[in-house]
Amino acid sequence: MKVAVTSKGTLLESEVDPRFGRASYILIVDTDSLSFEAMDNSANVNAFKGAGIQAATMISDKGAEVLMTGYCGPKAFATLEAAGVKVVSDISGKVLDAVTAIKEGKVSYSATPNKDGHW
Amino acid sequence: MIISVASGKGGTGKTTISTNMALALGSGVEFLDCDVEEPNAHLFLKPVIERTELVTTPIPLVDLEKCTYCRKCSAICRFNAITVVSHKVLIFPELCHSCGGCMVVCPEGAITETGRELGEINFGARNGIRFINGRLRVGESMSPPLIKRVRSEADPEKVTIIDAPPGTSCPVIAAMNGADFVLMVTEPTPFGLHDLKLAVETVKLLGIPSGLVVNRSDIGDQEVFAYAEREQLPVLLTIPFERRIAEAYSQGRSIVEEFPEWKERFCELFHKIETIIQKRSTTV
């Protein structure tokens, strides 16, 4: 299974970036092989509006089935829902810890966004 | 002739100046309250509202039968208001700036326009002064299309006075663009001056002549006057910080109707503006 984890760096040992839309990087990790692709999210970091929508579209295109992040706002959540990507929010620590947790089934999926939209 | 009353800093007296100038000139003048986020000029002009219209802004509507999910629509949208995920097209109306770009680039002709409610526009009059204001829907963040709609109602044959919103961003530009003159209302405080400078720079970019009204002119410091001199901004009127003026304002009464000597001063203010506009049109 492919999991998208927001990250401050390009490694599995990097810290999880609590932001989704404007995260520094998003790592697309294969939970079986632990092979991953680090996506540079700088275009969205500087987006004028709708960074979350764009990031959600991007990870869906990459085939991620789950997003693991700190905060996910309403527009990003709606986009992920439409794309069939499940969300695990309130994630912190290292990217690898998050991946391990989901492999072991120790996560709960969010039914709603956990952050208000902003202007 | 369009005179837009702006300030940079809020609460300096834009509405006081614009409504009093309108009342001083009286019948035949037209007043547009373009501070659509919190219109308040009606409290002083007390117009009788004759009709109200709903204002909408176009947003895209996608015909999924025709859509091939090519994503040209989402690629052109600078505001990420439209996105395509796994054979679904999502539209975020509150992000859409109604540019129509998605409709133009759609190769299938799958996008048409529908409307999103922005607010309302009110038409009225009092003693021969034509009055129009816009009122943004609560929760709506996009005011420029509504401001443009209010301005589209302006009668080019009349003297049009616009009460602009504060600040220097898009809503203010929408309320100043194309005006013949921008009257800046400021107060002689460091905060007032700071924001005035931003507003003056904005007006310069728009190429519109401007002048100053210094309200509560005897408070703060004198920096604004030195700045006006350096910038060659004419100070067209000063209003002292007077209790009786503040009291009248707080009760929704106008200065020109309460204190007749001020009627003359506001007429004079208008004539100074008229002279500047005329001089400019003969030199251009």
Side-chain angles (χ1 to χ4, degrees):
Chain A
M1 177 174 70
K2 277 187 180 173
V3 174
V5 188
T6 52
S7 171
K8 289 180 178 170
T10 58
L11 304 169
L12 289 177
E13 289 71 31
S14 305
E15 288 289 317
V16 169
D17 194 324
R19 303 165 300 174
F20 172 43
R22 294 175 200 273
S24 302
Y25 296 90
I26 300 176
L27 269 48
I28 308 289
V29 187
D30 186 310
T31 50
D32 299 323
S33 66
L34 289 186
S35 66
F36 67 96
E37 179 190 353
M39 290 162 60
D40 183 349
N41 196 40
S42 53
N44 284 337
V45 169
N46 298 319
F48 195 58
K49 285 274 175 75
I53 297 166
Q54 199 56 38
T57 305
M58 198 165 80
I59 66 162
S60 159
D61 288 350
K62 288 285 174 187
E65 290 172 51
V66 179
L67 164 70
M68 305 186 81
T69 189
Y71 303 105
C72 182
K75 296 191 190 77
F77 197 89
T79 309
L80 293 164
E81 210 169 27
V85 178
K86 289 190 270 188
V87 180
V88 181
S89 44
D90 297 315
I91 292 289
S92 58
K94 292 190 188 338
V95 173
L96 189 58
D97 300 337
V99 175
T100 308
I102 198 166
K103 270 177 85 167
E104 293 172 358
K106 290 180 186 160
V107 296
S108 53
Y109 295 101
S110 310
T112 54
N114 66 338
K115 183 100 178 71
D116 284 339
H118 37 73
W119 298 102
Chain B
M1 182 192 298
I2 303 172
I3 301 168
S4 195
V5 182
S7 68
K9 183 185 175 296
T12 56
K14 286 179 295 300
T15 304
T16 302
I17 302 304
S18 56
T19 55
N20 276 287
M21 190 158 65
L23 289 167
L25 297 175
S27 184
V29 175
E30 177 177 68
F31 190 97
L32 308 183
D33 191 348
C34 285
D35 189 1
V36 302
E37 286 176 63
E38 34 205 344
N40 63 344
H42 59 281
L43 299 176
F44 301 95
L45 292 176
K46 302 181 173 62
V48 175
I49 300 298
E50 292 144 6
R51 73 190 162 91
T52 296
E53 280 177 24
L54 203 66
V55 179
T56 61
T57 190
I59 56 164
L61 183 71
V62 179
D63 181 352
L64 289 176
E65 299 271 297
K66 292 184 184 167
C67 179
T68 60
Y69 311 101
C70 73
R71 296 191 168 183
K72 289 203 168 100
C73 55
S74 59
I76 198 173
C77 186
R78 175 153 158 53
F79 300 95
N80 292 320
I82 186 165
T83 191
V84 182
V85 281
S86 68
H87 289 215
K88 280 178 198 148
V89 182
L90 295 186
I91 292 162
F92 296 90
E94 65 273 38
L95 295 181
C96 176
H97 283 56
S98 306
C99 74
C102 53
M103 205 165 62
V104 172
V105 298
C106 179
E108 312 302 329
I111 303 180
T112 51
E113 284 179 337
T114 179
R116 170 177 111 236
E117 187 189 333
L118 282 180
E120 61 180 36
I121 178 168
N122 298 295
F123 300 84
R126 180 202 171 189
N127 297 346
I129 299 174
R130 187 173 182 237
F131 176 89
I132 306 170
N133 80 2
R135 185 179 287 273
L136 200 66
R137 176 176 60 83
V138 171
E140 175 59 55
S141 70
M142 214 155 330
S143 62
L146 179 57
I147 293 170
K148 285 174 190 163
R149 175 73 179 79
V150 172
R151 289 198 54 188
S152 73
E153 294 293 335
D155 180 347
E157 301 299 314
K158 290 194 173 196
V159 169
T160 304
I161 298 171
I162 295 177
D163 190 5
T168 49
S169 62
C170 300
V172 187
I173 309 282
M176 298 197 301
N177 210 0
D180 297 293
F181 191 85
V182 172
L183 184 60
M184 305 269 198
V185 185
T186 190
E187 56 181 32
T189 61
F191 187 1
L193 179 58
H194 176 272
D195 284 11
L196 174 68
K197 286 177 182 171
L198 298 174
V200 167
E201 292 306 311
T202 310
V203 175
K204 272 192 205 164
L205 288 175
L206 294 174
I208 305 171
S210 60
L212 276 186
V213 171
V214 182
N215 194 12
R216 299 187 281 268
S217 58
D218 44 358
I219 62 163
D221 56 33
Q222 296 300 301
E223 266 307 297
V224 69
F225 295 100
Y227 170 75
E229 204 174 318
R230 284 200 302 279
E231 287 289 323
Q232 295 181 312
L233 269 175
V235 177
L236 304 174
L237 181 69
T238 57
I239 303 176
F241 190 38
E242 267 183 37
R243 188 176 177 92
R244 59 175 194 154
I245 290 176
E247 274 176 2
Y249 170 87
S250 69
Q251 291 163 13
R253 291 181 283 125
S254 71
I255 307 173
V256 298
E257 287 170 322
E258 291 294 313
F259 316 113
E261 70 273 22
W262 279 99
K263 183 170 177 176
E264 211 172 296
R265 289 174 202 160
F266 273 94
C267 285
E268 209 176 294
L269 167 66
F270 173 74
H271 292 307
K272 284 179 187 168
I273 294 170
E274 207 178 20
T275 307
I276 294 172
I277 295 173
Q278 277 162 1
K279 257 190 202 157
R280 189 177 152 99
S281 65
T282 52
T283 53
V284 171

